[in-house]
Each structure stands twice: as C-alpha cells, then as structure tokens.
Amino acid sequence: MTHAFPFSAIVGQDQMKLAMILTAIDPKLGGVLVFGDRGTGKSTAVRALAALLPPISAVEGCPVQSATRSACPDWAEVAEDAQVLDYPTPVVDLPLGATEDRVTGALDIERALVNGEKAFQPGLLAQANRGYLYIDEVNLLEDHLVDLLLDVAQTGENVVEREGLSIRHPARFVLVGSGNPEEGELRPQLLDRFGLSVEVRSPDDIDQRVEVVQRRDAFELQPDKFLKKWHREDTRVRKAILTARETLPDIKIRKRELRDCAELCIALGSDGLRGELTLVRACRALAAYEGAASVTRRHIRRIAPIALAHRLRRDPMDEAGSVARVRRALDEVLG
C-alpha cells in the first residue's frame, strides 16, 4: 500500500497549506492555483491533505462515488445489493495531453461496436467527484479545457451531449492547478475564476532545505514509523477542519469588515465582485478554523494576499509584485 506524505510534516509553504485547508473547510471557495518552482511540494500537499481527511462513504461500484444508492446516476450500472463502503477522498490527476472526451466522458466505443449498445464511459470529472482534481502545468492546458473545468467546478455538474448521449452527473470537486509562470501565463479571466492563489519558492535557508531532505528521506526509508510520528499533529488538523465545517455557517462578519473588503478591492482595482465575495468566504473559513466567533481585520490581512493577488491588473508603472501591492493596499485601507 502506498502512503501519502503527512500533511503536517511538509516543511514551510505555510500559505499553500493554509489555502488547501480552507478549501477543505469550504469547497465552494473555487479551488487553488499554485505557481512556483518545480519540486516545492505542490502535488504532495494535495495528496497529503486528501489522505488526512476522513474517508467518504460511497456506494460500491458507483462511478461518481454517490453516498446513497438512490443518488447514483440512472446510467450507472450499480448492483441492487451494492453496499455503502468507506473510501479515501479521491485525488485525480489530469494529464496535460488529455482529450475532452477523457475529461468529461464519452460513448463507450467497445460496447457500441461489440454489442451495439449506447453506453456512457465516465471520465476524469466523474472520478474526481467529492474529491480533488489536480492539474499540473495548468497554464499549458488548452483554453477550452480550462473553461470547461472551471464551469463544471462552479456548477458542480458535468453535462455531456454527443453521439446521441445526453448525460448529467454530479462533479463536485476542489480544483487545484499548478504551474511555472515562466512557461506561460493563464488568461486574466481564468485567473479570476480560481478562488485562491499562492506562490511557492524553493527555500533559500540552508537549515530548512536540510530539514526537507531529512524528512523526505526518513519517510521513504521507514514510512510506517514516520507516519506514526506525525499522526498526532495530522489528527489535530483533521479535527480542526471537521469542527470548522460544522461552525462555518455560524461565523459572523460585521458591516465594518464587509466595508473593509469592499474598500480593499476598490483600492486594488479588482473587476467585479468575485474578489470580495471570495475574500469574505475565505475569511469566514479561516475564522472557523481558528475557533473564532466572527471575522476580524486580522483575518482579512492574512487572507487578502491569497484571495486577491491573482486578480490584479498589470500596472506598467508599478514594479512591485501583486502580493506586495495587496499588502500595501492593506496598510492604506486598514491602517
């Protein structure tokens, strides 16, 4: 059995880990975009978080991991006596060269040729339902596929109408995209559709780099021992996430903080209202995770860089990076 690296054992990358935790608390945040160097733990963090979460209960043999037999799609060939079993939270990789049929699903060609039947063959979106869909090098993915993925991620439903098929099935997943901005950039309208974004860099502190290598080496040599060592901390994070999910609807946000969010987005020139809606939602998730009763300015300061930095227009007169611009605006608006 292959074990995932413990989430709590990931060295540094605090912003990336925070963004992942917030999406686990509130999957409606809209996914995470992680830009940065290769080998900085992006895919490791996704798999580690999914492994940390409690298993999902799903009907045996259901292609979209439905929780009950009645919720299974009509086209799914699920046995009448299928049991409800516990499964790990799915993490599905979307390869760069994947076709649209591979992603959305399509006609089962083999059954059509052999039996003359029109049957649906589920794609990656079905496999990712109730879990995570991870796209490495998302900036190199064809635009029409990115549009499709973001639309499905927002609606929570995959619709396939081709070759005489008309199929709908739930596709609720957290979209995590990663890439290196030096190899190509996402269009601004696509950047805006991701809920949170973080930049990761290889650590330049020698002690931190040594710690990364030591932990990875210890995990590969004695995985069971390493997992046992980090079990308590991972359990603490899991409990905090589950508690936050329960308390999330009760977290208050006062008009003052709402005005702060609006003033901040205006100061940054953010288009539309998606930025502040995401900022408010993410601040509420953070407050729930920390056990606070309401959102405060401290939450806004911590969340704004990962909720707004990727939504900024380029300013040729301002050489500061987008995160620096957000922090400067925070100082101006919040004092």
Side-chain angles (χ1 to χ4, degrees), residues 259-291:
R259 290 186 64 87
D260 288 339
C261 292
E263 287 182 29
L264 185 60
C265 289
I266 290 172
L268 290 167
S270 177
D271 292 330
L273 295 175
R274 187 174 283 125
E276 54 212 89
L277 288 170
T278 303
L279 177 58
V280 168
R281 188 183 287 272
C283 284
R284 185 178 280 119
L286 177 60
Y289 183 66
E290 293 184 342

Side-chain angles (χ1 to χ4, degrees), residues 14-37:
D14 293 338
Q15 290 286 73
M16 177 174 67
K17 288 161 68 176
L18 175 63
M20 299 286 186
I21 287 171
L22 295 179
T23 62
I25 294 169
D26 185 358
K28 294 180 181 178
L29 273 171
V32 183
L33 185 62
V34 186
F35 269 139
D37 304 330

Side-chain angles (χ1 to χ4, degrees), residues 74-89:
D74 295 337
W75 51 265
E77 299 174 351
V78 179
E80 289 294 334
D81 59 349
Q83 295 179 304
V84 176
L85 304 174
D86 286 342
Y87 296 94
T89 298

Side-chain angles (χ1 to χ4, degrees), residues 70-131:
S70 60
C72 294
D74 295 337
W75 51 265
E77 299 174 351
V78 179
E80 289 294 334
D81 59 349
Q83 295 179 304
V84 176
L85 304 174
D86 286 342
Y87 296 94
T89 298
V91 179
V92 176
D93 287 295
L94 193 154
L96 199 56
T99 63
E100 185 172 335
D101 283 355
R102 178 76 183 94
V103 175
T104 63
L107 179 70
D108 189 328
I109 299 298
E110 183 178 348
R111 289 182 60 177
L113 292 175
V114 175
N115 303 323
E117 300 175 349
K118 280 188 177 180
F120 180 63
Q121 185 173 35
L124 298 176
L125 296 181
Q127 296 175 29
N129 188 42
R130 302 180 67 194

Side-chain angles (χ1 to χ4, degrees), residues 9-72:
I10 297 173
V11 179
Q13 311 300 13
D14 293 338
Q15 290 286 73
M16 177 174 67
K17 288 161 68 176
L18 175 63
M20 299 286 186
I21 287 171
L22 295 179
T23 62
I25 294 169
D26 185 358
K28 294 180 181 178
L29 273 171
V32 183
L33 185 62
V34 186
F35 269 139
D37 304 330
R38 291 190 181 90
T40 47
K42 298 186 287 289
S43 62
T44 298
V46 178
R47 287 170 175 75
L49 180 64
L52 175 146
L53 297 175
I56 60 171
S57 296
V59 176
E60 185 180 14
C62 179
V64 294
Q65 297 79 239
S66 298
T68 63
R69 179 68 179 80
S70 60
C72 294

Side-chain angles (χ1 to χ4, degrees), residues 211-254:
E211 186 65 23
V212 171
V213 174
Q214 282 182 330
R215 291 188 187 182
R216 191 74 210 187
D217 188 49
F219 172 69
E220 292 177 357
L221 289 174
Q222 296 180 300
D224 291 335
K225 181 179 179 180
F226 191 80
L227 289 167
K228 185 177 180 180
K229 176 181 177 181
W230 289 94
H231 176 73
R232 177 179 294 179
E233 186 60 22
D234 265 8
T235 299
R236 184 193 66 78
V237 175
R238 180 193 297 115
K239 288 181 178 178
I241 289 173
L242 296 180
T243 301
R245 286 177 178 177
E246 293 178 0
T247 60
L248 186 63
D250 300 322
I251 302 300
K252 310 296 182 185
I253 180 164
R254 296 170 297 184

